[in-house]
Amino acid sequence: MNKKTEAQAAFFKVLADPTRLELIKLLCRQPESGALCVNALAFRLGITQSAVSQHLRVLKSMGLVKGERRGSRVHYFIDP
């Protein structure tokens, strides 16, 4: 298998998780100025803040989301 195929498989593996897919869908509906913090994401998805943080870490590692510090919180949005 070549490296491009392996990278594509890893990408789809990340999106295969239902919670991560919901996070992506939720963030896609937000304009960049309306990015959401971990607390807001956890509330909207009905899961813990720590679970959201772990999923965001995976999504960030694939270059799908970015975080931006706004005041004391980090707000997340899709990384185009």
Side-chain angles (χ1 to χ4, degrees):
M1 215 177 330
N2 67 37
K3 291 190 184 230
K4 184 176 180 181
T5 302
E6 289 177 9
Q8 290 169 334
F11 175 82
F12 287 112
K13 183 178 178 182
V14 166
L15 292 180
D17 182 276
T19 302
R20 286 195 284 267
L21 190 54
E22 283 298 318
L23 272 168
I24 290 290
K25 288 169 32 180
L26 181 57
L27 291 173
C28 280
R29 292 190 297 261
Q30 300 297 315
E32 187 173 326
S33 61
L36 299 170
C37 67
V38 172
N39 291 341
L41 291 166
F43 177 77
R44 291 181 184 194
L45 294 175
I47 61 176
T48 66
Q49 294 174 19
S50 63
V52 169
S53 293
Q54 289 175 18
H55 287 297
L56 286 170
R57 180 183 49 78
V58 173
L59 293 170
K60 280 176 62 175
S61 74
M62 291 299 294
L64 296 172
V65 300
K66 282 192 342 184
E68 179 180 280
R69 183 158 295 280
R70 296 181 182 173
S72 63
R73 296 184 181 187
V74 177
H75 288 71
Y76 293 89
F77 52 93
I78 296 296
D79 185 356

